[in-house]
Amino acid sequence: MNPWSRPWHQARQRVKHSLKWKLVRLFLLLAIGTTVIFLVGMKEIVRLGWQGWGRPLLADYVTLLAADIGTPPDVERAKALVARLPISLHIDGPQVQWDSHPQRSAPWQRVPSPGNQEGMVHIRTLADGHRLVFGLAPPSPAAHPKWVGWGTLSLLLAITWIAFRHVRHLLRPLDDIRAGAIRFGRGEFDDAIPVRRDDELGELARQVNTMAQEIRAMLDAKRGLLLAISHELRSPLTRARVNAELVDDSPERSALLRDLAEMRDLVSDLLESERLASGHAALQREPTDLNALVVDTLATHFAGQPVEQQLAPALPMLALDRVRVRLLLRNAVDNALRHAADATRPPVVSTRLGDDGSVTLSVRDHGPGVPPEQLAQLSEAFYRLDRSRQRTTGGVGLGLYLCRLVAQAHGSALQIRAAEPGLEVSVRFDSTPSDAGA
């Protein structure tokens, strides 16, 4: 695509979808239509009036003018009439040949046939055989200066600009409502939509603000309920695990302990996701060697698991919350192991130093991958490719969601891409020594 055509296309799309410009175009069409109808109507009225009562009066007046010129026609009198009145005169006869406007080429300047009495041309034949052809004189160029046309155009453009500014002022609350809806969609409810006027749009802004506050209250209530339930579940789960430890060793005991561990991790993940999503979790940043954190996390949680490490040397110290970055790495690796169990190559955890001093942490598997249309949904809460949620297919869909929340809490974003084969999850941490002491 031409580099100049893209901005032009975007501008056309904005104008096409702009309600303000649609209203301005409507005003212009109404103005032009009204003007055309008025001019055509007035022209028709004048034409019918001319045929009805104007022509007889003009015919009598032309008869008086012909009598004033005399027989044979007196050229001096004809010149005086033409100089005094806005008419043209052509004299054609055996003795006198004279034309008041010999340079003309307009239709009324041509001498009509003797039987032509239509239009604005009147013919009088004198007794001596001379024929007088009366018509309207062409307008003088000085009567229509050039500035009239340019002035009319400038006035039309000025009216259009005034109309656009007025419409833009009237519809400004729509821009505020649109920006507010985007903020509310991101979960930012602190800044309400400003109510600029007491009209329908002002009332709409107040109603949207009320709706946003109700949604916020509903979300806070949901988070509070989920946190309360998660807290209450911890105690019975702990007691159940202690009791299970007292049972004799058996396959059923191992399965019970595994299920209790999964339930414990699920409750912990729910609590952490709600803290991060609601903004109540303050990061405990401290200078961190990311490579050492990766090695320690893999050794603690994935000992004996086939996970490769490709760690860049000499990474700068990063201001990170170690507990939450460890949570991010644990969930990303667990997701890679779960979905690449039959892959020919194990998952790879890597770190990479960027040219701007940032450090990228990546976890890639070599499994079957994910359809491209589902990539954007992988980091949503409780989203899974397998809707059956069977034990063999993994958890409940909080792993990558927690990874995204941890990345956002550190001022970054979780990137998920198809690695062909497999899937790669990465997050970039900026090297900001000023935050190290936070």
Side-chain angles (χ1 to χ4, degrees), residues 290-306:
L290 185 59
N291 283 344
L293 183 64
V294 169
V295 172
D296 181 66
T297 302
L298 294 181
T300 302
H301 296 279
F302 301 99
Q305 296 286 340

Side-chain angles (χ1 to χ4, degrees), residues 311-327:
L311 307 180
L315 293 182
M317 299 296 288
L318 302 173
L320 303 177
D321 186 318
R322 296 183 184 181
V323 174
R324 290 186 168 86
V325 173
R326 189 187 297 270
L327 175 65

Side-chain angles (χ1 to χ4, degrees), residues 220-236:
D220 290 342
K222 185 266 295 184
R223 291 191 180 109
L225 177 62
L226 189 57
L227 287 173
I229 293 175
S230 300
H231 278 294
E232 293 299 324
L233 284 176
R234 277 188 163 183
S235 296

Side-chain angles (χ1 to χ4, degrees), residues 186-214:
R186 294 197 299 259
E188 302 172 3
F189 298 99
D190 294 332
D191 296 330
I193 300 172
V195 180
R196 301 183 182 276
R197 294 196 305 270
D198 189 15
D199 56 9
E200 289 87 350
L201 292 180
E203 181 64 24
L204 177 61
R206 281 190 288 268
Q207 292 174 356
V208 174
N209 285 333
T210 302
M211 178 190 68
Q213 294 305 316
E214 293 175 352

Side-chain angles (χ1 to χ4, degrees), residues 204-413:
L204 177 61
R206 281 190 288 268
Q207 292 174 356
V208 174
N209 285 333
T210 302
M211 178 190 68
Q213 294 305 316
E214 293 175 352
I215 292 175
R216 181 177 189 178
M218 180 180 64
L219 292 176
D220 290 342
K222 185 266 295 184
R223 291 191 180 109
L225 177 62
L226 189 57
L227 287 173
I229 293 175
S230 300
H231 278 294
E232 293 299 324
L233 284 176
R234 277 188 163 183
S235 296
L237 282 176
T238 302
R239 292 194 298 268
R241 184 173 180 85
V242 171
N243 293 329
E245 293 285 353
L246 300 177
V247 178
D248 294 337
D249 191 12
S250 65
E252 290 78 9
R253 175 178 177 271
S254 299
L256 179 60
L257 289 175
R258 184 177 62 251
D259 290 341
L260 289 173
E262 289 183 3
M263 293 178 66
R264 179 199 59 203
D265 293 340
L266 174 59
V267 170
S268 300
D269 289 347
L270 284 173
L271 286 170
E272 190 62 28
S273 66
E274 288 305 316
R275 291 193 189 100
L276 290 171
S278 60
H280 297 313
L283 296 183
Q284 302 297 322
R285 291 178 182 264
E286 53 185 325
T288 302
D289 183 348
L290 185 59
N291 283 344
L293 183 64
V294 169
V295 172
D296 181 66
T297 302
L298 294 181
T300 302
H301 296 279
F302 301 99
Q305 296 286 340
V307 180
E308 293 185 9
Q309 301 179 30
Q310 297 179 1
L311 307 180
L315 293 182
M317 299 296 288
L318 302 173
L320 303 177
D321 186 318
R322 296 183 184 181
V323 174
R324 290 186 168 86
V325 173
R326 189 187 297 270
L327 175 65
L328 181 152
L329 181 59
R330 178 171 62 83
N331 280 279
V333 174
D334 183 68
N335 183 78
L337 288 170
R338 184 185 307 119
H339 293 93
D342 299 329
T344 58
R345 183 178 175 184
V348 178
V349 179
S350 61
T351 56
R352 183 175 66 256
L353 180 62
D355 296 335
D356 57 353
S358 63
V359 178
T360 300
L361 172 65
S362 300
V363 178
R364 178 189 172 180
D365 64 69
H366 297 81
V370 175
E373 63 273 9
Q374 296 186 1
L375 285 176
Q377 300 173 281
L378 289 181
S379 60
E380 295 180 359
F382 303 108
Y383 179 81
R384 285 183 38 176
L385 296 176
D386 180 12
R387 296 297 183 181
S388 64
R389 299 187 185 274
Q390 296 176 357
R391 179 188 299 261
T392 57
T393 60
V396 296
L398 283 176
L400 293 182
Y401 174 63
L402 276 171
C403 293
R404 189 189 78 183
L405 294 180
V406 173
Q408 291 176 347
H410 284 81
S412 183

Side-chain angles (χ1 to χ4, degrees), residues 32-79:
I32 294 173
T34 303
T35 303
V36 171
I37 292 174
F38 176 78
L39 292 178
V40 172
M42 290 301 298
K43 179 180 179 182
E44 190 67 16
I45 290 173
V46 171
R47 185 181 68 83
L48 295 176
W50 164 255
Q51 293 180 351
W53 49 265
R55 284 191 59 200
L57 295 177
L58 185 57
D60 292 341
Y61 186 67
V62 167
T63 302
L64 296 175
L65 293 179
D68 188 35
I69 293 174
T71 304
D74 189 336
V75 175
E76 295 300 327
R77 290 183 179 180
K79 290 180 179 180

